[in-house]
Amino acid sequence: MATLIEVQNLKKDYPMGAAGVFNALKGVDIKVEKGEFVAIMGASGSGKSTLLHLLGCLDTPTSGSYLLEGTPVHTLSQDELAELRNSKIGFIFQSFYLLPRANVLENVELPLIYDKIPPSERKKRAMEVISFLQLETHAKHLPNQLSGGQRQQIAIARALVNNPSLIMADEPTGNLDSVTSQRIMELLKKLNDMGNTLILVTHEADIAVYAKRLVRIKDGIIISDEPIKKD
Amino acid sequence: MSSAQIKKEEIFGLWGTFVELVKVSLRAIMGSKMRSFLTVLGIIIGVLAVVTVLSIIQGVFASFFKEFETMGADTMFIRPNYEMFKSHVEGIRRLKMTYDDALYVKENVPDVKDVAPFLMSSDQISYRGKKDSTQIIGTTDSYITVNNLGLDEGRFISSVDVATRRKVCVIGVDIIDKLALPPQCIGEEIQIGRGTYTIIGVQEKKGGSFGQSQDDIIYIPLTTGVQQYGQTVANQVFMVVQVKDVKKMDDSVDRISTALRRKHGLKFGQEDDFRIFTVEQVRKIIKQFTSISTLVVTAIVSITLIVGGIGIMNIMLVSVTERTREIGIRMAVGAKRRHILYQFLLESVTLSTLGGIIGLLSGWGLAHLIVFILRKSVSETFPPAYVPIWVVFLSLLFAALTGAVFGVYPAYKASRLDPIEALRYE
Ligand SMILES: Nc1ncnc2c1ncn2[C@@H]1O[C@H](COP(=O)(O)OP(=O)(O)OP(=O)(O)O)[C@@H](O)[C@H]1O
Ligand SMILES: [Mg+2]
């Protein structure tokens, strides 16, 4: 299997005013192969989101190295990171983060706009993903006309539309009831079965079990990393 | 894929991005109409003021210079020196220039090739119960050659018409519509004021210039005009003089001036009671006028646009703060800094340009309203307001530029946001 992510001794410090810095990540090593489904668990403030942001090229580490598909990422500029996010990474967030004034189709199209895809092609590809998620009837609706579960599905469609190598989900079910949460997780699992690589951050055990591998993090350090045994 | 294809796709992508950005801008602007309106009010008022003032001035200017429009380089225009008196009305009462003066110039100055004297009036006209009014020019056969006029049909006024004071007329093409004349109108009789005239010719369409039609006109023999409109009009005969050698224009002007002074019995040291305009002079006056207009425009524009621009900058800064989350989302899915920069820059340019358009339209409307009121209260012949195309372009350009200049800082600020902090922003 091909290696997708290779991280060595990754550290992230946040400045804390006059008091110096806060070490949010204290040296993380992790390797993720293509096609994996990794869940990252840990207490609040343990550094899960910080790690996810670094892996998702949203932020740059204080030190350490990060190879994404063999490319060193830790040395890239903001704009180069933006290009990487655009072509290789899809994000799913706890609060969906859809554009409130844009309709469903336009929201899903968004990553393609920054990839210079012509409008007609953009619409076509966005509609394909929307159809795959069986949301065609909502294509012209605004996000606030949809339920939380539907909104998260739209966000998933947006994450998929650019055929990313990696899908990042930060507590995707955090704002959803348990039934809807199960549905969303089934969907993510299905995406993984289709060959997508997923990294999921959660602090709920019954959400983490959908993944194939569980990484536990505590105070900025990985304390365990093992496959999830299915019954 | 060939390189041409790649290029094409790239351009297409850029265009797509541009269209997308305009759409996003309009959505943001329309999302809070009242706020957007108040934001660009400064720009609206600025453009409105400029357009109103200029279009009224330009209208007056256009009607003043209409006479000189068709002047050739070898011609000069002579009229009484109304500027000698405090008011134009007093000038008309005290000054005299007649058909005789024109004949005198033609006979006594060897440089002169031809002279076209003309008097002007306006009058009621009618044909089979259809009534209207138009400008009347009383002139001679020389007028058509000196002024380079063309005819669609028939003939122009002849020397015989002038000598025998015949009641014939040559009409501009607008008159056909105004009086609903039949297509073959030569030989038809129309009523001009108290007199009945036979149409002998139709002038070639000249079109409008400076916003006024030059086809809304009727020519009659000068002598017939004197008979019909009386001494007051007969004493205000203007003339267009054509010289033989355009290179000796300045000398010719001097000799004509001397001849007219002699004819008018002016003593040494007395001021000319007539004025001679050559194309060169008219050009100079137009240039002066234009530079004054430009100065006025620049002054109003710069003041209001700075004020308007500050308003835009203020609102754009608020808008960037309000939409921090949106900026974060866009960055997360791959927007580069310049994408965000362009988005907000374009939004502020769109906003200010919309303000410019509103200002332009309302200025146009206001100018026409003012002219309408002036016509009711001051003078019925007040020239129509006229917005030259350069005013349209200039005001829109300045409005857009204001948006660009004052939008740079907010847009730059937006583009420098950190993606994660922007996403977290509540
Ligand atoms: N921009 C920042 N400036 C300063 N400290 C930060 C910043 N971002 C995160 N931190 C700190 O780093 C630590 C890790 O934060 P992180 O968001 O990664 O936690 P998390 O594991 O995702 O927690 P949660 O489950 O609550 O989302 C926290 O203590 C947090 O206060
Ligand atoms: Mg978190």
Side-chain angles (χ1 to χ4, degrees), chain A residues 43-50 52-53 94 170-171 201 203, chain B residues 424:
Chain A
S44 186
S46 55
K48 304 183 297 290
S49 295
T50 304
L52 195 86
H53 292 154
Q94 178 174 357
D170 194 350
E171 312 215 19
V201 161
H203 54 248
Chain B
R424 283 224 189 96

Side-chain angles (χ1 to χ4, degrees), chain A residues 112-165:
Chain A
L112 300 177
I113 288 170
Y114 298 113
D115 199 15
K116 294 183 186 159
I117 309 280
S120 54
E121 168 81 8
R122 237 158 50 199
K123 291 230 153 41
K124 204 184 101 211
R125 279 171 61 176
M127 275 317 288
E128 271 168 22
V129 183
I130 291 172
S131 310
F132 169 70
L133 297 176
Q134 294 169 343
L135 293 161
E136 300 98 317
T137 48
H138 301 297
K140 295 286 169 194
H141 289 167
L142 291 176
N144 64 13
Q145 294 169 306
L146 303 175
S147 72
Q150 287 167 329
R151 283 188 221 185
Q152 196 57 296
Q153 287 182 64
I154 301 305
I156 292 171
R158 183 181 65 193
L160 286 174
V161 78
N162 246 0
N163 280 323
S165 321

Side-chain angles (χ1 to χ4, degrees), chain B residues 399-420:
Chain B
L401 223 61
T402 308
V405 169
F406 288 89
V408 165
Y409 176 65
Y412 177 78
K413 229 182 126 182
S415 75
R416 302 308 288 186
L417 286 174
D418 178 76
I420 296 170

